[in-house]
Amino acid sequence: MKKPKTNDVILQTVTNVVTFIIVLFSLSLFFAGHYTPGGGFIGGLMTSAAIVLMLLAYDLDTVANILPIDYKILTAVGLLIAVATGAGALLFDVPFLTHAYDYFYLPLLGKTSLHTAVLFDTGVYLVVIGVTMTIIQTIGVSE
Amino acid sequence: MTNLLILPILIPLFTAIILLFISKYVNVQRGISAISTLATIAASLVLIYTINKDGIQSVNLGSWQAPFGITLVSDMLSALLVTTTSIITLVVLLYSFKAIGADRERFYYYPVVQFLLVGVNGAFTTGDIFNLFVFFEVMLMSSYVLIVLGGTKAQLREGIKYILVNVISSALFVIAVAYLYSVVGTLNMADISVKIAEVNQPVILTSIAVLFLIVFGLKGGIFPLYFWLPGSYYAPPTPILALFGALLTKVGIYSIMRTYTLFFYHDTGYTHSILAVLAIMTIIFGCIGAVAYWDVKKIIIYNIIIAVGVILFGVSTMNPDALEGSVYYLIHDMIIKAALFLLIGVMITITGTTDLKKMGGLIKEYPWLGWTFLVAVFSLAGIPPLSGFIGKLLIVRGSFEAEDYLGAGLILLSSLMVLYSVIKIFLNGIWGTPKEYKHVSKGHARYLWMTSALLVLLAVFYGFGAEALRPLFSQAAEVLVDPNIYIDAVLKE
């Protein structure tokens, strides 16, 4: 079932540039979540939007070559990170999901507060990407 | 240890995640899910012991104080239900090893069962009304997957109905919570109870109570809202059906029990009479269905509906005896329904049909199956030394005390109908003229029978040990009778 070859050079060139901007924006949204609107859910959706744009410009196989990720495993990894963050509280005998934070001096960034809620959010971020991409890919390949 | 009561939720959750990584290794999945479910049972037994010793356990997630964060609360009722749920899941898992088939096992059957366990255990344990909704959804989404897993035509058709009904009832649940939140301004169940007692339940709260009854009634299958249940439960294979029949409707019943004894106990004249009438109608319609069919699955499915009616009638009287009876009967019904579904699953595997008129004479080749089934049948109907007796006895005694003779009489009459409907299976399927069956090897059938016999054995012990277990059940019913025990345990002024 081969389609006639069309010339997508403009779409593909624009995609190459725009994808990076979208990924950067999504990461910015993800890290901004604690103090401003944003967070793991919207960040994850935005990152999958970037991947969907690549899927539109290229095709499933090409994108799978660029990003050799099994999204079902990615979902599981995300869940594991989120639940393990919550369960970390069990080690200190405080209630489940109790978070901890502190201020650290990091090179380049200076005084920064690091919070375990970010780890939880990383889990959410990965799950959202994994689930969205699994849905889109599964619908994409089934005839 | 602070986090003890989370373990029955956390262990299956971790297991489900780990199983997602190894979806192609069926044997490893079997091993891990069996071991972790054993661990869940162990954790919940320790939980029962702790509650028995130290009273109601609660934990404020994330260390936020009671009305502001999510609180998980485990009183004796939830702990007993959590334990029963975990035991039933273990037995169904063992049964599934040989019954569910490699196709389903490779496509995330075991992780989804673990997610179902997370949802059910979570719904029994939570002390926050919105968190209850979330756990309902965890449970329902897993059940959506289980109902369509395998993708046969009937499963897809019934799956659509099931999902449609549950999406609507979930939307109603959110609306009901929104109304409740706009009136009382809190989501913590203990705090809601305090706030409702302060304003002495005006009419708006009584309307919300009825809305909750509609929501949980749709999930639990009470009289006008059970229409989806017989069809949807008929579609999936027996181990999944056993999980559904034993666990899903009971979460709805538990939620009605919780809300009607903890929140809306001020204006019982209205809400609880509705509940009583609906419970009676549920029993009557369940009996009609159970007697009418000649299909083994359908007969047991309608028996679920009868039991829903009996338990809720006990709740509606708000009488200490009847409430204790309801708790007894709830646990008994979970065990015995799972056992019956697994046993008819064995019969269906042997004969290759669900039609009673095409079966017969199983007792000749499979005597152990026949006699186990008979014990399960007597237990279901409530013949004295067995497990269904004491619960029904307490419910009937409670309703006599509340001078509700009609309800008590109907419950006694319904026992006869239940006995008739299941003894019909015994007389036609297991007794009768032997027929030739070549569907399955004897060893295979014996394995399936042995796993289901575990539950029948448990039901027998539950019946004979009723006196020994009595303190636990009194403790469970105490909280239902006096909501202040629950409130004090959570809000620790």
Side-chain angles (χ1 to χ4, degrees), chain B residues 71-91:
Chain B
T71 314
L72 296 186
V73 188
S74 224
D75 59 352
M76 189 50 86
L77 175 62
S78 353
L80 285 170
L81 289 169
V82 164
T83 313
T84 318
T85 305
S86 312
I87 293 173
I88 289 172
T89 311
L90 178 68
V91 175

Side-chain angles (χ1 to χ4, degrees), chain A residues 72 76 83 93-98, chain B residues 2-3 6 17 60 62-63 108:
Chain A
K72 295 195 280 296
V83 178
D93 204 28
V94 286
F96 184 69
L97 278 177
T98 304
Chain B
T2 354
N3 287 297
I6 302 184
I17 296 169
N60 297 315
S63 304
Y108 301 101

Side-chain angles (χ1 to χ4, degrees), chain B residues 64-186:
Chain B
W64 300 101
Q65 275 319 300
F68 305 113
I70 292 172
T71 314
L72 296 186
V73 188
S74 224
D75 59 352
M76 189 50 86
L77 175 62
S78 353
L80 285 170
L81 289 169
V82 164
T83 313
T84 318
T85 305
S86 312
I87 293 173
I88 289 172
T89 311
L90 178 68
V91 175
V92 172
L93 276 174
L94 294 176
Y95 187 93
S96 307
F97 291 169
K98 293 226 171 159
I100 199 78
D103 288 346
R104 289 188 170 94
E105 283 177 309
R106 264 200 289 276
F107 282 92
Y108 301 101
Y109 173 74
Y110 293 114
V112 175
V113 170
Q114 295 294 325
F115 275 123
L116 187 80
L117 187 58
V118 173
V120 176
N121 278 353
F124 287 144
T125 311
T126 188
D128 181 284
I129 193 84
F130 197 76
N131 201 231
L132 178 67
F133 169 76
V134 175
F135 276 122
F136 257 105
E137 287 306 298
V138 172
M139 172 189 97
L140 288 173
M141 298 222 174
S142 323
S143 70
Y144 300 157
V145 178
L146 287 178
I147 208 172
V148 297
L149 191 66
T152 62
K153 212 169 169 186
Q155 278 180 298
L156 294 178
R157 185 185 61 232
E158 296 303 330
I160 287 179
K161 281 187 208 161
Y162 180 74
I163 292 172
L164 199 66
V165 166
N166 278 299
V167 166
I168 291 171
S169 80
S170 296
L172 276 177
F173 194 174
V174 176
I175 293 169
V177 171
Y179 280 140
L180 187 63
Y181 185 67
S182 69
V183 176
V184 295
T186 177

Side-chain angles (χ1 to χ4, degrees), chain A residues 30-31 33-34 38-44 74-89 95-100 114-129, chain B residues 10 13-14 17 61-62 64 70 131 134-135:
Chain A
F30 169 68
F31 283 112
H34 200 68
F41 185 77
I42 185 73
L74 190 71
T75 314
V77 170
L79 275 173
L80 194 61
I81 294 175
V83 178
T85 311
F96 184 69
L97 278 177
T98 304
H99 288 287
L114 294 181
H115 201 301
T116 50
V118 178
L119 284 177
F120 188 84
D121 233 16
T122 312
V124 175
Y125 178 78
L126 295 179
V127 170
V128 172
I129 296 177
Chain B
L10 205 55
L13 182 55
F14 258 120
I17 296 169
L61 292 191
W64 300 101
I70 292 172
N131 201 231
V134 175
F135 276 122

Side-chain angles (χ1 to χ4, degrees), chain B residues 435-452:
Chain B
K435 295 191 174 110
E436 286 276 310
Y437 301 115
K438 291 268 182 282
H439 288 280
V440 70
S441 75
K442 252 189 162 160
H444 186 102
R446 182 174 290 126
Y447 176 84
L448 295 182
W449 162 74
M450 281 196 317
T451 44
S452 22

